[in-house]
Amino acid sequence: MIASTAALARHGREHGYAVPAVNVLDDLSLRAVVAAAVHLQAPLIVQLSVKTVRSTGTELLTSMFRYATRDLTVPVALHLDHCPDRSVIDEVVAAGWSSVLFDASDRDLVTAERETAEVVAQAHAAGLDVESEIENIVGVEDGVGSDVALHAYSVEQLAEVADRTGADLLAPQLGTAHGEYRARPVLLPERVRELAALTDRPIVLHGGTGLSADDFAAFIAAGVSKINISTAVKVAYMRAAAAHLDVARERDKWDPPSMFRDVAAAVEGAIVPLVEQFGAAGHARGVARAVR
Ligand SMILES: [Zn+2]
């Protein structure tokens, strides 16, 4: 069952947990992340970057997702992460994904609002939800983004723009960044609380990798109900592959399927504790009933 991203996040907000939104890179990481959600009976949002869409292709990714989630009782949504490129949005809308993040944070406010409204109209007509980002979340992820804050607005402006565009989920700047943290970030759970007081739209936390269980708890208590995880998957994936290759070189034994098993186990092992920290474990049945 392909779930609605906004419906999952709304259920999270109503029940005090955050839905894990995990970026995958290929079928191996996709199946590992789905296995973690099934193991914990948690709702899940699978995300793909524009870079992955460009390298693998929308058609193959859509087929992989449908195959990996067939016959599941756990609701799983398919989401396009940070996309400033309208032509890629056209493709995934046509392919019937759950949602897109239209990243208009590189545009000025007037242009960002106008284009977001256009994407929302297009997506809603096809049954997709839209996550909206007009302030930029710092850090470059898969070639998208900037290391400096270019656009920043008040929470009142964010809520008003969301009302005018009809966006379903909001991705404000909350002090987090993409990639690995080199210094302790200044986190802004208070900003979530202020925005949540102005709008019922689910609020999304980006740059989740590297935050503590207490950080997640503070954001969820303030109203965050979708938390994005990407770097943790990449790190678990590559470290497991590197460790496997060290042993392969030592023994001069070269067997790709056994490396795939190691990588899948590492990715699942990295995601399970995060899903638990987000409070999402055990909610699959309740959310499936609520969104049907
Ligand atoms: Zn992000």
PDB file of all heavy atoms in Angstrom, residues 87-119:
ATOM      1  N   SER A  87      10.943  19.897 -13.675  1.00  0.00           N
ATOM      2  CA  SER A  87      10.805  18.786 -14.628  1.00  0.00           C
ATOM      3  C   SER A  87      10.880  17.434 -13.901  1.00  0.00           C
ATOM      4  O   SER A  87      10.222  16.467 -14.300  1.00  0.00           O
ATOM      5  CB  SER A  87      11.853  18.876 -15.737  1.00  0.00           C
ATOM      6  OG  SER A  87      13.139  18.648 -15.212  1.00  0.00           O
ATOM      7  N   VAL A  88      11.679  17.353 -12.832  1.00  0.00           N
ATOM      8  CA  VAL A  88      11.749  16.111 -12.049  1.00  0.00           C
ATOM      9  C   VAL A  88      10.427  15.915 -11.286  1.00  0.00           C
ATOM     10  O   VAL A  88       9.923  14.795 -11.163  1.00  0.00           O
ATOM     11  CB  VAL A  88      12.963  16.128 -11.085  1.00  0.00           C
ATOM     12  CG1 VAL A  88      13.000  14.860 -10.244  1.00  0.00           C
ATOM     13  CG2 VAL A  88      14.263  16.291 -11.871  1.00  0.00           C
ATOM     14  N   ILE A  89       9.866  17.003 -10.803  1.00  0.00           N
ATOM     15  CA  ILE A  89       8.561  16.919 -10.130  1.00  0.00           C
ATOM     16  C   ILE A  89       7.495  16.406 -11.105  1.00  0.00           C
ATOM     17  O   ILE A  89       6.698  15.530 -10.757  1.00  0.00           O
ATOM     18  CB  ILE A  89       8.192  18.293  -9.504  1.00  0.00           C
ATOM     19  CG1 ILE A  89       9.111  18.533  -8.302  1.00  0.00           C
ATOM     20  CG2 ILE A  89       6.706  18.341  -9.122  1.00  0.00           C
ATOM     21  CD1 ILE A  89       8.922  19.830  -7.577  1.00  0.00           C
ATOM     22  N   ASP A  90       7.528  16.911 -12.331  1.00  0.00           N
ATOM     23  CA  ASP A  90       6.579  16.424 -13.350  1.00  0.00           C
ATOM     24  C   ASP A  90       6.666  14.894 -13.476  1.00  0.00           C
ATOM     25  O   ASP A  90       5.646  14.206 -13.548  1.00  0.00           O
ATOM     26  CB  ASP A  90       6.895  17.032 -14.731  1.00  0.00           C
ATOM     27  CG  ASP A  90       6.647  18.535 -14.792  1.00  0.00           C
ATOM     28  OD1 ASP A  90       5.959  19.056 -13.885  1.00  0.00           O
ATOM     29  OD2 ASP A  90       7.135  19.179 -15.730  1.00  0.00           O
ATOM     30  N   GLU A  91       7.892  14.377 -13.476  1.00  0.00           N
ATOM     31  CA  GLU A  91       8.096  12.930 -13.646  1.00  0.00           C
ATOM     32  C   GLU A  91       7.505  12.122 -12.499  1.00  0.00           C
ATOM     33  O   GLU A  91       6.849  11.107 -12.727  1.00  0.00           O
ATOM     34  CB  GLU A  91       9.602  12.615 -13.703  1.00  0.00           C
ATOM     35  CG  GLU A  91      10.190  12.651 -15.077  1.00  0.00           C
ATOM     36  CD  GLU A  91      11.636  12.188 -15.060  1.00  0.00           C
ATOM     37  OE1 GLU A  91      11.947  11.195 -14.362  1.00  0.00           O
ATOM     38  OE2 GLU A  91      12.447  12.854 -15.723  1.00  0.00           O
ATOM     39  N   VAL A  92       7.776  12.524 -11.267  1.00  0.00           N
ATOM     40  CA  VAL A  92       7.305  11.696 -10.144  1.00  0.00           C
ATOM     41  C   VAL A  92       5.802  11.887  -9.905  1.00  0.00           C
ATOM     42  O   VAL A  92       5.143  10.981  -9.408  1.00  0.00           O
ATOM     43  CB  VAL A  92       8.133  11.894  -8.848  1.00  0.00           C
ATOM     44  CG1 VAL A  92       9.604  11.750  -9.114  1.00  0.00           C
ATOM     45  CG2 VAL A  92       7.832  13.181  -8.167  1.00  0.00           C
ATOM     46  N   VAL A  93       5.287  13.042 -10.282  1.00  0.00           N
ATOM     47  CA  VAL A  93       3.827  13.224 -10.220  1.00  0.00           C
ATOM     48  C   VAL A  93       3.174  12.238 -11.188  1.00  0.00           C
ATOM     49  O   VAL A  93       2.218  11.540 -10.846  1.00  0.00           O
ATOM     50  CB  VAL A  93       3.426  14.686 -10.522  1.00  0.00           C
ATOM     51  CG1 VAL A  93       1.928  14.796 -10.805  1.00  0.00           C
ATOM     52  CG2 VAL A  93       3.809  15.610  -9.358  1.00  0.00           C
ATOM     53  N   ALA A  94       3.731  12.142 -12.383  1.00  0.00           N
ATOM     54  CA  ALA A  94       3.194  11.207 -13.387  1.00  0.00           C
ATOM     55  C   ALA A  94       3.341   9.758 -12.941  1.00  0.00           C
ATOM     56  O   ALA A  94       2.514   8.905 -13.271  1.00  0.00           O
ATOM     57  CB  ALA A  94       3.893  11.418 -14.728  1.00  0.00           C
ATOM     58  N   ALA A  95       4.391   9.474 -12.162  1.00  0.00           N
ATOM     59  CA  ALA A  95       4.654   8.102 -11.711  1.00  0.00           C
ATOM     60  C   ALA A  95       3.811   7.717 -10.488  1.00  0.00           C
ATOM     61  O   ALA A  95       3.838   6.559 -10.068  1.00  0.00           O
ATOM     62  CB  ALA A  95       6.138   7.929 -11.405  1.00  0.00           C
ATOM     63  N   GLY A  96       3.082   8.679  -9.900  1.00  0.00           N
ATOM     64  CA  GLY A  96       2.174   8.351  -8.804  1.00  0.00           C
ATOM     65  C   GLY A  96       2.842   8.160  -7.457  1.00  0.00           C
ATOM     66  O   GLY A  96       2.384   7.351  -6.639  1.00  0.00           O
ATOM     67  N   TRP A  97       3.912   8.902  -7.180  1.00  0.00           N
ATOM     68  CA  TRP A  97       4.516   8.841  -5.854  1.00  0.00           C
ATOM     69  C   TRP A  97       3.581   9.486  -4.828  1.00  0.00           C
ATOM     70  O   TRP A  97       2.550  10.061  -5.187  1.00  0.00           O
ATOM     71  CB  TRP A  97       5.869   9.564  -5.872  1.00  0.00           C
ATOM     72  CG  TRP A  97       6.928   8.852  -6.670  1.00  0.00           C
ATOM     73  CD1 TRP A  97       6.736   7.935  -7.674  1.00  0.00           C
ATOM     74  CD2 TRP A  97       8.347   9.018  -6.558  1.00  0.00           C
ATOM     75  NE1 TRP A  97       7.947   7.518  -8.173  1.00  0.00           N
ATOM     76  CE2 TRP A  97       8.949   8.163  -7.512  1.00  0.00           C
ATOM     77  CE3 TRP A  97       9.167   9.798  -5.736  1.00  0.00           C
ATOM     78  CZ2 TRP A  97      10.348   8.082  -7.650  1.00  0.00           C
ATOM     79  CZ3 TRP A  97      10.547   9.715  -5.878  1.00  0.00           C
ATOM     80  CH2 TRP A  97      11.123   8.856  -6.826  1.00  0.00           C
ATOM     81  N   SER A  98       3.977   9.413  -3.533  1.00  0.00           N
ATOM     82  CA  SER A  98       3.111   9.974  -2.481  1.00  0.00           C
ATOM     83  C   SER A  98       3.241  11.486  -2.374  1.00  0.00           C
ATOM     84  O   SER A  98       2.265  12.180  -2.077  1.00  0.00           O
ATOM     85  CB  SER A  98       3.486   9.385  -1.121  1.00  0.00           C
ATOM     86  OG  SER A  98       3.462   7.989  -1.151  1.00  0.00           O
ATOM     87  N   SER A  99       4.469  11.997  -2.568  1.00  0.00           N
ATOM     88  CA  SER A  99       4.709  13.411  -2.272  1.00  0.00           C
ATOM     89  C   SER A  99       6.043  13.889  -2.832  1.00  0.00           C
ATOM     90  O   SER A  99       6.912  13.086  -3.180  1.00  0.00           O
ATOM     91  CB  SER A  99       4.719  13.625  -0.751  1.00  0.00           C
ATOM     92  OG  SER A  99       5.624  12.717  -0.142  1.00  0.00           O
ATOM     93  N   VAL A 100       6.169  15.222  -2.872  1.00  0.00           N
ATOM     94  CA  VAL A 100       7.427  15.848  -3.291  1.00  0.00           C
ATOM     95  C   VAL A 100       7.778  16.965  -2.306  1.00  0.00           C
ATOM     96  O   VAL A 100       6.887  17.600  -1.737  1.00  0.00           O
ATOM     97  CB  VAL A 100       7.326  16.473  -4.706  1.00  0.00           C
ATOM     98  CG1 VAL A 100       7.028  15.397  -5.756  1.00  0.00           C
ATOM     99  CG2 VAL A 100       6.278  17.578  -4.768  1.00  0.00           C
ATOM    100  N   LEU A 101       9.075  17.182  -2.116  1.00  0.00           N
ATOM    101  CA  LEU A 101       9.532  18.398  -1.437  1.00  0.00           C
ATOM    102  C   LEU A 101       9.939  19.375  -2.523  1.00  0.00           C
ATOM    103  O   LEU A 101      10.973  19.194  -3.187  1.00  0.00           O
ATOM    104  CB  LEU A 101      10.726  18.105  -0.511  1.00  0.00           C
ATOM    105  CG  LEU A 101      11.536  19.328  -0.022  1.00  0.00           C
ATOM    106  CD1 LEU A 101      10.650  20.442   0.500  1.00  0.00           C
ATOM    107  CD2 LEU A 101      12.522  18.926   1.045  1.00  0.00           C
ATOM    108  N   PHE A 102       9.075  20.379  -2.738  1.00  0.00           N
ATOM    109  CA  PHE A 102       9.462  21.432  -3.670  1.00  0.00           C
ATOM    110  C   PHE A 102      10.340  22.413  -2.909  1.00  0.00           C
ATOM    111  O   PHE A 102       9.873  23.116  -2.012  1.00  0.00           O
ATOM    112  CB  PHE A 102       8.231  22.124  -4.272  1.00  0.00           C
ATOM    113  CG  PHE A 102       8.622  23.234  -5.219  1.00  0.00           C
ATOM    114  CD1 PHE A 102       9.513  22.995  -6.263  1.00  0.00           C
ATOM    115  CD2 PHE A 102       8.128  24.518  -5.055  1.00  0.00           C
ATOM    116  CE1 PHE A 102       9.903  24.023  -7.119  1.00  0.00           C
ATOM    117  CE2 PHE A 102       8.501  25.536  -5.912  1.00  0.00           C
ATOM    118  CZ  PHE A 102       9.397  25.300  -6.941  1.00  0.00           C
ATOM    119  N   ASP A 103      11.626  22.405  -3.246  1.00  0.00           N
ATOM    120  CA  ASP A 103      12.614  23.242  -2.554  1.00  0.00           C
ATOM    121  C   ASP A 103      12.779  24.548  -3.320  1.00  0.00           C
ATOM    122  O   ASP A 103      13.488  24.607  -4.322  1.00  0.00           O
ATOM    123  CB  ASP A 103      13.940  22.477  -2.452  1.00  0.00           C
ATOM    124  CG  ASP A 103      14.972  23.215  -1.617  1.00  0.00           C
ATOM    125  OD1 ASP A 103      14.827  24.450  -1.437  1.00  0.00           O
ATOM    126  OD2 ASP A 103      15.921  22.560  -1.149  1.00  0.00           O
ATOM    127  N   ALA A 104      12.084  25.578  -2.838  1.00  0.00           N
ATOM    128  CA  ALA A 104      12.119  26.887  -3.491  1.00  0.00           C
ATOM    129  C   ALA A 104      13.008  27.850  -2.707  1.00  0.00           C
ATOM    130  O   ALA A 104      12.902  29.070  -2.854  1.00  0.00           O
ATOM    131  CB  ALA A 104      10.699  27.442  -3.607  1.00  0.00           C
ATOM    132  N   SER A 105      13.887  27.279  -1.859  1.00  0.00           N
ATOM    133  CA  SER A 105      14.688  28.134  -0.972  1.00  0.00           C
ATOM    134  C   SER A 105      15.767  28.914  -1.714  1.00  0.00           C
ATOM    135  O   SER A 105      16.391  29.798  -1.143  1.00  0.00           O
ATOM    136  CB  SER A 105      15.317  27.284   0.135  1.00  0.00           C
ATOM    137  OG  SER A 105      16.199  26.330  -0.404  1.00  0.00           O
ATOM    138  N   ASP A 106      15.981  28.577  -2.990  1.00  0.00           N
ATOM    139  CA  ASP A 106      16.946  29.358  -3.775  1.00  0.00           C
ATOM    140  C   ASP A 106      16.266  30.534  -4.483  1.00  0.00           C
ATOM    141  O   ASP A 106      16.920  31.339  -5.125  1.00  0.00           O
ATOM    142  CB  ASP A 106      17.650  28.456  -4.805  1.00  0.00           C
ATOM    143  CG  ASP A 106      16.677  27.806  -5.792  1.00  0.00           C
ATOM    144  OD1 ASP A 106      15.446  27.759  -5.503  1.00  0.00           O
ATOM    145  OD2 ASP A 106      17.131  27.338  -6.848  1.00  0.00           O
ATOM    146  N   ARG A 107      14.909  30.620  -4.367  1.00  0.00           N
ATOM    147  CA  ARG A 107      14.176  31.708  -5.015  1.00  0.00           C
ATOM    148  C   ARG A 107      13.870  32.818  -3.996  1.00  0.00           C
ATOM    149  O   ARG A 107      13.791  32.552  -2.802  1.00  0.00           O
ATOM    150  CB  ARG A 107      12.818  31.217  -5.544  1.00  0.00           C
ATOM    151  CG  ARG A 107      12.865  30.484  -6.896  1.00  0.00           C
ATOM    152  CD  ARG A 107      12.892  29.010  -6.716  1.00  0.00           C
ATOM    153  NE  ARG A 107      12.397  28.265  -7.882  1.00  0.00           N
ATOM    154  CZ  ARG A 107      12.780  27.019  -8.169  1.00  0.00           C
ATOM    155  NH1 ARG A 107      13.654  26.386  -7.403  1.00  0.00           N
ATOM    156  NH2 ARG A 107      12.266  26.399  -9.206  1.00  0.00           N
ATOM    157  N   ASP A 108      13.619  34.042  -4.493  1.00  0.00           N
ATOM    158  CA  ASP A 108      13.135  35.094  -3.600  1.00  0.00           C
ATOM    159  C   ASP A 108      11.707  34.738  -3.172  1.00  0.00           C
ATOM    160  O   ASP A 108      11.073  33.861  -3.775  1.00  0.00           O
ATOM    161  CB  ASP A 108      13.205  36.465  -4.279  1.00  0.00           C
ATOM    162  CG  ASP A 108      12.296  36.531  -5.496  1.00  0.00           C
ATOM    163  OD1 ASP A 108      11.058  36.485  -5.318  1.00  0.00           O
ATOM    164  OD2 ASP A 108      12.819  36.582  -6.623  1.00  0.00           O
ATOM    165  N   LEU A 109      11.211  35.434  -2.151  1.00  0.00           N
ATOM    166  CA  LEU A 109       9.942  35.025  -1.533  1.00  0.00           C
ATOM    167  C   LEU A 109       8.762  35.057  -2.511  1.00  0.00           C
ATOM    168  O   LEU A 109       7.935  34.134  -2.522  1.00  0.00           O
ATOM    169  CB  LEU A 109       9.650  35.905  -0.304  1.00  0.00           C
ATOM    170  CG  LEU A 109       8.433  35.500   0.525  1.00  0.00           C
ATOM    171  CD1 LEU A 109       8.534  34.063   1.018  1.00  0.00           C
ATOM    172  CD2 LEU A 109       8.269  36.447   1.725  1.00  0.00           C
ATOM    173  N   VAL A 110       8.687  36.080  -3.329  1.00  0.00           N
ATOM    174  CA  VAL A 110       7.554  36.208  -4.260  1.00  0.00           C
ATOM    175  C   VAL A 110       7.555  35.043  -5.257  1.00  0.00           C
ATOM    176  O   VAL A 110       6.521  34.414  -5.500  1.00  0.00           O
ATOM    177  CB  VAL A 110       7.615  37.572  -4.999  1.00  0.00           C
ATOM    178  CG1 VAL A 110       6.587  37.622  -6.133  1.00  0.00           C
ATOM    179  CG2 VAL A 110       7.383  38.711  -4.007  1.00  0.00           C
ATOM    180  N   THR A 111       8.737  34.752  -5.804  1.00  0.00           N
ATOM    181  CA  THR A 111       8.845  33.657  -6.768  1.00  0.00           C
ATOM    182  C   THR A 111       8.605  32.318  -6.089  1.00  0.00           C
ATOM    183  O   THR A 111       7.914  31.439  -6.636  1.00  0.00           O
ATOM    184  CB  THR A 111      10.253  33.666  -7.426  1.00  0.00           C
ATOM    185  OG1 THR A 111      10.554  34.990  -7.828  1.00  0.00           O
ATOM    186  CG2 THR A 111      10.314  32.714  -8.606  1.00  0.00           C
ATOM    187  N   ALA A 112       9.166  32.142  -4.898  1.00  0.00           N
ATOM    188  CA  ALA A 112       8.999  30.887  -4.153  1.00  0.00           C
ATOM    189  C   ALA A 112       7.514  30.623  -3.898  1.00  0.00           C
ATOM    190  O   ALA A 112       7.033  29.499  -4.097  1.00  0.00           O
ATOM    191  CB  ALA A 112       9.766  30.957  -2.837  1.00  0.00           C
ATOM    192  N   GLU A 113       6.795  31.657  -3.480  1.00  0.00           N
ATOM    193  CA  GLU A 113       5.366  31.477  -3.190  1.00  0.00           C
ATOM    194  C   GLU A 113       4.583  31.143  -4.465  1.00  0.00           C
ATOM    195  O   GLU A 113       3.763  30.207  -4.465  1.00  0.00           O
ATOM    196  CB  GLU A 113       4.796  32.741  -2.529  1.00  0.00           C
ATOM    197  CG  GLU A 113       3.303  32.596  -2.261  1.00  0.00           C
ATOM    198  CD  GLU A 113       2.708  33.750  -1.465  1.00  0.00           C
ATOM    199  OE1 GLU A 113       3.440  34.399  -0.685  1.00  0.00           O
ATOM    200  OE2 GLU A 113       1.499  33.981  -1.621  1.00  0.00           O
ATOM    201  N   ARG A 114       4.852  31.872  -5.533  1.00  0.00           N
ATOM    202  CA  ARG A 114       4.105  31.634  -6.779  1.00  0.00           C
ATOM    203  C   ARG A 114       4.364  30.217  -7.301  1.00  0.00           C
ATOM    204  O   ARG A 114       3.432  29.475  -7.614  1.00  0.00           O
ATOM    205  CB  ARG A 114       4.515  32.667  -7.843  1.00  0.00           C
ATOM    206  CG  ARG A 114       3.842  32.443  -9.199  1.00  0.00           C
ATOM    207  CD  ARG A 114       4.182  33.529 -10.218  1.00  0.00           C
ATOM    208  NE  ARG A 114       5.616  33.781 -10.361  1.00  0.00           N
ATOM    209  CZ  ARG A 114       6.472  32.987 -11.020  1.00  0.00           C
ATOM    210  NH1 ARG A 114       6.034  31.895 -11.615  1.00  0.00           N
ATOM    211  NH2 ARG A 114       7.751  33.307 -11.093  1.00  0.00           N
ATOM    212  N   GLU A 115       5.642  29.817  -7.330  1.00  0.00           N
ATOM    213  CA  GLU A 115       5.956  28.487  -7.866  1.00  0.00           C
ATOM    214  C   GLU A 115       5.468  27.365  -6.949  1.00  0.00           C
ATOM    215  O   GLU A 115       5.048  26.312  -7.417  1.00  0.00           O
ATOM    216  CB  GLU A 115       7.470  28.365  -8.123  1.00  0.00           C
ATOM    217  CG  GLU A 115       7.924  29.217  -9.297  1.00  0.00           C
ATOM    218  CD  GLU A 115       9.252  28.722  -9.858  1.00  0.00           C
ATOM    219  OE1 GLU A 115       9.476  27.505  -9.906  1.00  0.00           O
ATOM    220  OE2 GLU A 115      10.072  29.592 -10.222  1.00  0.00           O
ATOM    221  N   THR A 116       5.528  27.584  -5.642  1.00  0.00           N
ATOM    222  CA  THR A 116       5.026  26.560  -4.711  1.00  0.00           C
ATOM    223  C   THR A 116       3.524  26.354  -4.923  1.00  0.00           C
ATOM    224  O   THR A 116       3.039  25.216  -4.956  1.00  0.00           O
ATOM    225  CB  THR A 116       5.327  26.942  -3.246  1.00  0.00           C
ATOM    226  OG1 THR A 116       6.741  27.126  -3.097  1.00  0.00           O
ATOM    227  CG2 THR A 116       4.865  25.861  -2.285  1.00  0.00           C
ATOM    228  N   ALA A 117       2.797  27.451  -5.100  1.00  0.00           N
ATOM    229  CA  ALA A 117       1.353  27.337  -5.347  1.00  0.00           C
ATOM    230  C   ALA A 117       1.086  26.542  -6.633  1.00  0.00           C
ATOM    231  O   ALA A 117       0.162  25.718  -6.687  1.00  0.00           O
ATOM    232  CB  ALA A 117       0.721  28.732  -5.433  1.00  0.00           C
ATOM    233  N   GLU A 118       1.910  26.759  -7.649  1.00  0.00           N
ATOM    234  CA  GLU A 118       1.742  26.016  -8.912  1.00  0.00           C
ATOM    235  C   GLU A 118       2.008  24.516  -8.707  1.00  0.00           C
ATOM    236  O   GLU A 118       1.256  23.666  -9.199  1.00  0.00           O
ATOM    237  CB  GLU A 118       2.704  26.565  -9.980  1.00  0.00           C
ATOM    238  CG  GLU A 118       2.331  27.958 -10.484  1.00  0.00           C
ATOM    239  CD  GLU A 118       3.443  28.624 -11.313  1.00  0.00           C
ATOM    240  OE1 GLU A 118       4.463  27.963 -11.621  1.00  0.00           O
ATOM    241  OE2 GLU A 118       3.290  29.816 -11.627  1.00  0.00           O
ATOM    242  N   VAL A 119       3.081  24.210  -7.961  1.00  0.00           N
ATOM    243  CA  VAL A 119       3.422  22.796  -7.720  1.00  0.00           C
ATOM    244  C   VAL A 119       2.328  22.130  -6.876  1.00  0.00           C
ATOM    245  O   VAL A 119       1.954  20.980  -7.128  1.00  0.00           O
ATOM    246  CB  VAL A 119       4.811  22.677  -7.040  1.00  0.00           C
ATOM    247  CG1 VAL A 119       5.052  21.258  -6.532  1.00  0.00           C
ATOM    248  CG2 VAL A 119       5.915  23.089  -8.015  1.00  0.00           C
TER     249      VAL A 119
END
